[in-house]
mmCIF file with all atom_site columns, all heavy atoms in Angstrom:
data_model
loop_
_atom_site.group_PDB
_atom_site.id
_atom_site.type_symbol
_atom_site.label_atom_id
_atom_site.label_alt_id
_atom_site.label_comp_id
_atom_site.label_asym_id
_atom_site.label_entity_id
_atom_site.label_seq_id
_atom_site.pdbx_PDB_ins_code
_atom_site.Cartn_x
_atom_site.Cartn_y
_atom_site.Cartn_z
_atom_site.occupancy
_atom_site.B_iso_or_equiv
_atom_site.pdbx_formal_charge
_atom_site.auth_seq_id
_atom_site.auth_comp_id
_atom_site.auth_asym_id
_atom_site.auth_atom_id
_atom_site.pdbx_PDB_model_num
ATOM   1  N N   . GLU X 1 87  ? 1.503  -7.979  -4.452 1.00 98.00 ? 1083 GLU X N   1
ATOM   2  C CA  . GLU X 1 87  ? 2.043  -8.581  -3.223 1.00 98.00 ? 1083 GLU X CA  1
ATOM   3  C C   . GLU X 1 87  ? 3.488  -9.015  -3.434 1.00 98.00 ? 1083 GLU X C   1
ATOM   4  O O   . GLU X 1 87  ? 4.316  -8.880  -2.530 1.00 98.00 ? 1083 GLU X O   1
ATOM   5  C CB  . GLU X 1 87  ? 1.183  -9.769  -2.782 1.00 98.00 ? 1083 GLU X CB  1
ATOM   6  C CG  . GLU X 1 87  ? 1.655  -10.351 -1.450 1.00 98.00 ? 1083 GLU X CG  1
ATOM   7  C CD  . GLU X 1 87  ? 0.701  -11.368 -0.849 1.00 98.00 ? 1083 GLU X CD  1
ATOM   8  O OE1 . GLU X 1 87  ? -0.350 -11.659 -1.458 1.00 98.00 ? 1083 GLU X OE1 1
ATOM   9  O OE2 . GLU X 1 87  ? 1.011  -11.868 0.249  1.00 98.00 ? 1083 GLU X OE2 1
ATOM   10 N N   . ASN X 1 88  ? 3.806  -9.526  -4.596 1.00 98.00 ? 1084 ASN X N   1
ATOM   11 C CA  . ASN X 1 88  ? 5.184  -9.953  -4.899 1.00 98.00 ? 1084 ASN X CA  1
ATOM   12 C C   . ASN X 1 88  ? 5.658  -9.599  -6.308 1.00 98.00 ? 1084 ASN X C   1
ATOM   13 O O   . ASN X 1 88  ? 6.863  -9.547  -6.555 1.00 98.00 ? 1084 ASN X O   1
ATOM   14 C CB  . ASN X 1 88  ? 5.313  -11.475 -4.715 1.00 98.00 ? 1084 ASN X CB  1
ATOM   15 C CG  . ASN X 1 88  ? 5.241  -11.879 -3.247 1.00 98.00 ? 1084 ASN X CG  1
ATOM   16 O OD1 . ASN X 1 88  ? 6.083  -11.486 -2.432 1.00 98.00 ? 1084 ASN X OD1 1
ATOM   17 N ND2 . ASN X 1 88  ? 4.213  -12.637 -2.887 1.00 98.00 ? 1084 ASN X ND2 1
ATOM   18 N N   . LYS X 1 91  ? 8.487  -6.997  -7.129 1.00 99.00 ? 1087 LYS X N   1
ATOM   19 C CA  . LYS X 1 91  ? 9.738  -7.036  -6.361 1.00 99.00 ? 1087 LYS X CA  1
ATOM   20 C C   . LYS X 1 91  ? 10.898 -7.443  -7.269 1.00 99.00 ? 1087 LYS X C   1
ATOM   21 O O   . LYS X 1 91  ? 10.709 -8.049  -8.330 1.00 99.00 ? 1087 LYS X O   1
ATOM   22 C CB  . LYS X 1 91  ? 9.583  -8.008  -5.183 1.00 99.00 ? 1087 LYS X CB  1
ATOM   23 C CG  . LYS X 1 91  ? 8.580  -7.502  -4.135 1.00 99.00 ? 1087 LYS X CG  1
ATOM   24 C CD  . LYS X 1 91  ? 8.280  -8.538  -3.056 1.00 99.00 ? 1087 LYS X CD  1
ATOM   25 C CE  . LYS X 1 91  ? 7.258  -7.986  -2.046 1.00 99.00 ? 1087 LYS X CE  1
ATOM   26 N NZ  . LYS X 1 91  ? 6.847  -9.005  -1.058 1.00 99.00 ? 1087 LYS X NZ  1
ATOM   27 N N   . HIS X 1 124 ? 5.239  -1.710  -5.540 1.00 98.00 ? 1120 HIS X N   1
ATOM   28 C CA  . HIS X 1 124 ? 5.903  -2.231  -4.337 1.00 98.00 ? 1120 HIS X CA  1
ATOM   29 C C   . HIS X 1 124 ? 6.888  -3.317  -4.763 1.00 98.00 ? 1120 HIS X C   1
ATOM   30 O O   . HIS X 1 124 ? 6.439  -4.299  -5.345 1.00 98.00 ? 1120 HIS X O   1
ATOM   31 C CB  . HIS X 1 124 ? 4.827  -2.782  -3.397 1.00 98.00 ? 1120 HIS X CB  1
ATOM   32 C CG  . HIS X 1 124 ? 5.336  -3.416  -2.157 1.00 98.00 ? 1120 HIS X CG  1
ATOM   33 N ND1 . HIS X 1 124 ? 5.568  -2.692  -1.013 1.00 98.00 ? 1120 HIS X ND1 1
ATOM   34 C CD2 . HIS X 1 124 ? 5.654  -4.696  -1.857 1.00 98.00 ? 1120 HIS X CD2 1
ATOM   35 C CE1 . HIS X 1 124 ? 5.995  -3.529  -0.057 1.00 98.00 ? 1120 HIS X CE1 1
ATOM   36 N NE2 . HIS X 1 124 ? 6.061  -4.740  -0.546 1.00 98.00 ? 1120 HIS X NE2 1
ATOM   37 N N   . ASN X 1 172 ? 11.852 0.352   1.287  1.00 99.00 ? 1168 ASN X N   1
ATOM   38 C CA  . ASN X 1 172 ? 11.081 -0.513  2.185  1.00 99.00 ? 1168 ASN X CA  1
ATOM   39 C C   . ASN X 1 172 ? 11.959 -0.995  3.338  1.00 99.00 ? 1168 ASN X C   1
ATOM   40 O O   . ASN X 1 172 ? 13.057 -1.512  3.114  1.00 99.00 ? 1168 ASN X O   1
ATOM   41 C CB  . ASN X 1 172 ? 10.548 -1.715  1.390  1.00 99.00 ? 1168 ASN X CB  1
ATOM   42 C CG  . ASN X 1 172 ? 9.385  -2.415  2.067  1.00 99.00 ? 1168 ASN X CG  1
ATOM   43 O OD1 . ASN X 1 172 ? 8.614  -1.794  2.801  1.00 99.00 ? 1168 ASN X OD1 1
ATOM   44 N ND2 . ASN X 1 172 ? 9.253  -3.720  1.832  1.00 99.00 ? 1168 ASN X ND2 1
ATOM   45 N N   . GLU X 1 278 ? -0.196 -1.853  4.471  1.00 99.00 ? 1274 GLU X N   1
ATOM   46 C CA  . GLU X 1 278 ? -0.191 -3.328  4.522  1.00 99.00 ? 1274 GLU X CA  1
ATOM   47 C C   . GLU X 1 278 ? -1.013 -3.847  5.703  1.00 99.00 ? 1274 GLU X C   1
ATOM   48 O O   . GLU X 1 278 ? -0.633 -4.813  6.370  1.00 99.00 ? 1274 GLU X O   1
ATOM   49 C CB  . GLU X 1 278 ? 1.257  -3.850  4.619  1.00 99.00 ? 1274 GLU X CB  1
ATOM   50 C CG  . GLU X 1 278 ? 2.162  -3.377  3.503  1.00 99.00 ? 1274 GLU X CG  1
ATOM   51 C CD  . GLU X 1 278 ? 3.557  -3.984  3.513  1.00 99.00 ? 1274 GLU X CD  1
ATOM   52 O OE1 . GLU X 1 278 ? 3.785  -4.997  4.209  1.00 99.00 ? 1274 GLU X OE1 1
ATOM   53 O OE2 . GLU X 1 278 ? 4.430  -3.441  2.813  1.00 99.00 ? 1274 GLU X OE2 1
ATOM   54 N N   . TRP X 1 318 ? -3.182 -6.047  3.554  1.00 99.00 ? 1314 TRP X N   1
ATOM   55 C CA  . TRP X 1 318 ? -2.226 -6.992  2.958  1.00 99.00 ? 1314 TRP X CA  1
ATOM   56 C C   . TRP X 1 318 ? -2.937 -8.304  2.628  1.00 99.00 ? 1314 TRP X C   1
ATOM   57 O O   . TRP X 1 318 ? -2.653 -9.362  3.192  1.00 99.00 ? 1314 TRP X O   1
ATOM   58 C CB  . TRP X 1 318 ? -0.998 -7.179  3.858  1.00 99.00 ? 1314 TRP X CB  1
ATOM   59 C CG  . TRP X 1 318 ? 0.198  -7.564  3.021  1.00 99.00 ? 1314 TRP X CG  1
ATOM   60 C CD1 . TRP X 1 318 ? 0.893  -8.742  3.057  1.00 99.00 ? 1314 TRP X CD1 1
ATOM   61 C CD2 . TRP X 1 318 ? 0.829  -6.780  2.003  1.00 99.00 ? 1314 TRP X CD2 1
ATOM   62 N NE1 . TRP X 1 318 ? 1.895  -8.726  2.109  1.00 99.00 ? 1314 TRP X NE1 1
ATOM   63 C CE2 . TRP X 1 318 ? 1.878  -7.533  1.448  1.00 99.00 ? 1314 TRP X CE2 1
ATOM   64 C CE3 . TRP X 1 318 ? 0.582  -5.487  1.474  1.00 99.00 ? 1314 TRP X CE3 1
ATOM   65 C CZ2 . TRP X 1 318 ? 2.704  -7.061  0.407  1.00 99.00 ? 1314 TRP X CZ2 1
ATOM   66 C CZ3 . TRP X 1 318 ? 1.403  -5.021  0.439  1.00 99.00 ? 1314 TRP X CZ3 1
ATOM   67 C CH2 . TRP X 1 318 ? 2.434  -5.804  -0.073 1.00 99.00 ? 1314 TRP X CH2 1
HETATM 68 C C1  . XIL B 2 .   ? 5.375  -10.663 1.836  1.00 84.30 ? 2876 XIL B C1  1
HETATM 69 C C2  . XIL B 2 .   ? 4.400  -11.416 0.942  1.00 84.30 ? 2876 XIL B C2  1
HETATM 70 O O1  . XIL B 2 .   ? 3.110  -11.262 1.445  1.00 84.30 ? 2876 XIL B O1  1
HETATM 71 C C3  . XIL B 2 .   ? 4.758  -12.890 0.880  1.00 84.30 ? 2876 XIL B C3  1
HETATM 72 O O2  . XIL B 2 .   ? 3.973  -13.561 -0.077 1.00 84.30 ? 2876 XIL B O2  1
HETATM 73 C C4  . XIL B 2 .   ? 6.237  -13.050 0.534  1.00 84.30 ? 2876 XIL B C4  1
HETATM 74 O O3  . XIL B 2 .   ? 6.588  -14.419 0.624  1.00 84.30 ? 2876 XIL B O3  1
HETATM 75 C C5  . XIL B 2 .   ? 7.110  -12.249 1.480  1.00 84.30 ? 2876 XIL B C5  1
HETATM 76 O O4  . XIL B 2 .   ? 6.700  -10.895 1.454  1.00 84.30 ? 2876 XIL B O4  1
HETATM 77 N N1  . XIL B 2 .   ? 6.367  -6.342  4.383  1.00 84.30 ? 2876 XIL B N1  1
HETATM 78 C C6  . XIL B 2 .   ? 6.390  -6.063  3.038  1.00 84.30 ? 2876 XIL B C6  1
HETATM 79 C C7  . XIL B 2 .   ? 5.830  -7.031  2.072  1.00 84.30 ? 2876 XIL B C7  1
HETATM 80 O O5  . XIL B 2 .   ? 6.768  -4.940  2.651  1.00 84.30 ? 2876 XIL B O5  1
HETATM 81 O O6  . XIL B 2 .   ? 6.471  -6.994  0.837  1.00 84.30 ? 2876 XIL B O6  1
HETATM 82 C C8  . XIL B 2 .   ? 5.826  -8.435  2.621  1.00 84.30 ? 2876 XIL B C8  1
HETATM 83 O O7  . XIL B 2 .   ? 5.124  -9.280  1.712  1.00 84.30 ? 2876 XIL B O7  1
HETATM 84 C C9  . XIL B 2 .   ? 5.215  -8.462  4.003  1.00 84.30 ? 2876 XIL B C9  1
HETATM 85 C C10 . XIL B 2 .   ? 5.985  -7.603  4.943  1.00 84.30 ? 2876 XIL B C10 1
#
Side-chain angles (χ1 to χ4, degrees):
E1083 184 170 1
N1084 290 298
K1087 293 172 181 175
H1120 177 88
N1168 199 29
E1274 304 185 15
W1314 207 245

